[in-house]
Amino acid sequence: MGKAIIFMIFTMSMNMIKAETCKSIDKGPVIPTTPLVIFLEKVQEAALQTYGHKGFDAKLFVDMSLRENLSETVEAFNKLPRIVNGSVSKSDLDNFIGSYLRSPDEDLVWVEPMDFVAEPEGFLPKVKNSEVRAWALEVHSLWKNLSRKVADHVLEKPELYTLLPLKNPVIIPGSRFKEVYYWDSYWVIRGLLAGKMYETAKGIVTNLVSLIDQFGYVLNGARAYYSNRSQPPVLAAMIVDIFNQTGDLDLVRRSLPALLKENHFWNSGIHKVTIQDAQGSNHSLSRYYAMWNKPRPESSTIDSETASVLPNICEKRELYRELASAAESGWDFSSRWMSNGSDLTTTSTTSILPVDLNAFLLKMELDIAFLANLVGESSTASHFTEAAQNRQKAINCIFWNAEMGQWLDYWLTNSDTSEDIYKWEDLHQNKKSFASNFVPLWTENSCSENNITTQKVVQSLMSSGLLQPAGIAMTLSNTGQQWDFPNGWPPLQHIIIEGLLRSGLEEARTLAKDIAIRWLRTNYVTYKKTGAMHEKYDVTKCGAYGGGGEYMSQTGFGWSNGVVLALLEEFGWPEDLKIDC
């Protein structure tokens, strides 16, 4: 046998071994993306080569759409002259983009919200301070700036766009985020409800329900490239809040089948984990797990660069899934998901049972039971009441740490039984303090039977180091990632504040009010300094917006506006309390 043939057989054998190794390392499905997204990723890569890193935003290029059909556009792109390093000249790429692609700004067009009133009747009655009231009305008016509808040409030829053709008007987060996002929408809706914009809120929910009808789950955002993952599941909470203000039973009836589908998505397949507690009882809990093992299209060049230090395609694919799973969590990115907090390549999201996801799912189960009862679906209500009881038990058994007074994420190690059942061990709880450790406070009745637990949690939060002059930090690790110290994000502020209120303890209510005042002040002062609401804030000092991560801090901003309005609705602002830092 010749040396060449022996080498070929050896190479084929090694490739087969590598493929098998990949299979064993990277488990789980991959949802195929569209040919359009694949092509736009190539444009993104070419643009980085041509324009360089300065001011480069990878997402811009996969948000573009086609003027002509895909085959013609690809042909024109392939004919672009290449210089020595394979890149395209700036003038050639500029001409190609101008001739063949449309800006993302053309996909969605501004639309006046049908139910916007400059000063709604009964708006924020507890706000007595005229300065704060004027600011609140300005924040309320931002819904007009962020209101969009899908352009007619997208509805007519959806194959030319990565934007998904949702039927109802949307509220976008702002800046580079020009499409609707899943968990952002919960806090947008809270703000809309404070401003009596009930029809806009219902329209957002109807859009999200349509995504479940099409995909089986709510996508991270309304783009074709987000179809491989979801985001923290809060749709049922949106519907409950809208019902509580409008009494709209028709919305409940129309949404309930979709909520059952979404619940199944999070409690089956790759998302479901069985874990055995110290007493030998089995519990079902859930984790984040994206259906993807390639660079995220909206950050393809960034993810490729991050993974470039890894030695082989197998490890790269594994990392790509972990990064996409972190994006599914909403916390993209944070040392919370890393085995080495200073190294993004050690992200291991799928190996973690997250406290917050399971608290959200507990709330979903309670909410579905409530909604099912409203429309006479008693067997569904009973089923989800029981599911909620089981999850509450699991949360307390697996996550609760009495010594720390927090619920802690749990790291999964290889299961030691043939049925893939993980055995709980104390050493696998992540004993670092994260804001997410306090999310179970938000779940209705989670602590009502045990005031001692709530008191422990309140004391733990106060002594954790997370409570800063301008709000709650997400973690205590300053890694440069945007979901780490010193950043505070609106949804976690609101969840923890509202959770403290729901506990019913006076001590908890006092702390909730204190955090709300800190958060409102920093939002106000930053707004006055910059003329904008920001997506995140530096909580170490009043009046500073956040930074870090893979893109510049964005303004607008959907969930920031919603949290401010919801907090002012709850607490108001007395005439004699100053709003400046």
Side-chain angles (χ1 to χ4, degrees), residues 238-419:
M238 299 180 207
I239 296 163
V240 167
D241 288 345
I242 291 171
F243 172 79
N244 285 339
Q245 291 213 29
T246 67
D248 190 339
L249 278 173
D250 185 49
L251 179 69
V252 174
R253 284 191 195 92
R254 284 187 284 113
S255 305
L256 198 53
L259 293 178
L260 301 185
K261 273 191 203 173
E262 183 182 36
N263 185 266
H264 176 73
F265 169 77
W266 285 107
N267 289 288
S268 61
I270 52 174
H271 289 104
K272 180 182 176 182
V273 174
T274 303
I275 185 164
Q276 192 174 91
D277 67 23
Q279 284 71 46
S281 297
N282 289 348
H283 303 278
S284 283
L285 288 165
S286 302
R287 62 179 163 181
Y288 293 111
Y289 206 120
M291 297 166 286
W292 192 243
N293 64 359
K294 300 176 183 68
R296 294 165 298 142
E298 76 280 12
S299 302
S300 184
T301 50
I302 299 168
D303 286 359
S304 298
E305 192 174 323
T306 301
S308 64
V309 298
L310 298 177
N312 58 60
I313 187 62
C314 304
E315 291 185 41
K316 288 177 182 179
R317 282 181 191 164
E318 186 181 14
L319 175 61
Y320 294 143
R321 191 183 292 276
E322 298 299 343
L323 293 174
S325 300
E328 182 170 68
S329 79
W331 285 52
D332 46 336
F333 294 105
S334 168
S335 57
R336 181 185 172 200
W337 308 123
M338 303 175 207
S339 54
N340 174 356
S342 61
D343 183 356
L344 189 57
T345 66
T346 67
T347 299
S348 307
T349 321
T350 65
S351 296
I352 295 169
L353 279 178
V355 168
D356 49 358
L357 172 59
N358 286 282
F360 291 139
L361 290 170
L362 172 55
K363 183 155 182 12
M364 176 198 281
E365 287 153 359
L366 290 165
D367 287 343
I368 290 175
F370 170 75
L371 295 168
N373 258 328
L374 289 175
V375 294
E377 298 277 353
S378 55
S379 61
T380 301
S382 298
H383 170 78
F384 280 96
T385 299
E386 185 181 350
Q389 289 166 350
N390 291 336
R391 192 176 301 271
Q392 180 71 74
K393 197 180 298 179
I395 286 171
N396 289 337
C397 289
I398 305 304
F399 298 130
W400 176 245
N401 184 294
E403 191 179 334
M404 284 185 65
Q406 299 175 27
W407 294 269
L408 306 178
D409 289 341
Y410 186 85
W411 280 81
L412 299 167
T413 56
N414 291 331
S415 62
D416 51 7
T417 69
S418 57
E419 292 85 18

Side-chain angles (χ1 to χ4, degrees), residues 2 14 19-20 44 51 66 115 169 194 218 246 250 394-395 456 459:
M14 290 305 294
E20 276 305 307
Q44 179 194 104
Y51 302 135
L66 307 184
D115 46 6
V218 184
T246 67
D250 185 49
I395 286 171
K456 271 188 180 177
Q459 290 303 318

Side-chain angles (χ1 to χ4, degrees), residues 183-195:
W183 77 317
D184 296 60
S185 295
Y186 175 78
W187 287 278
V188 166
I189 282 174
R190 289 297 297 263
L192 293 172
L193 294 177

Side-chain angles (χ1 to χ4, degrees), residues 466-484:
L466 294 172
L467 191 54
Q468 293 288 319
I472 301 165
M474 298 300 95
T475 75
L476 298 176
S477 301
N478 193 342
T479 64
Q481 299 299 336
Q482 64 169 353
W483 281 83
D484 277 333

Side-chain angles (χ1 to χ4, degrees), residues 110-120 123 136-145 147 171 192 195-200:
W110 181 84
V111 61
E112 174 98 28
M114 68 175 83
D115 46 6
F116 177 82
V117 175
E119 185 162 4
F123 181 67
L137 287 168
E138 285 184 46
V139 172
H140 168 67
S141 75
L142 295 176
W143 300 131
K144 282 178 71 174
N145 298 359
S147 178
I171 300 290
L192 293 172
K196 321 298 181 189
M197 294 176 66
Y198 304 132
E199 294 311 309
T200 301

Side-chain angles (χ1 to χ4, degrees), residues 52-63:
H53 283 88
K54 189 176 180 182
F56 183 80
D57 187 350
K59 185 177 185 297
L60 170 69
F61 298 93
V62 289
D63 288 357

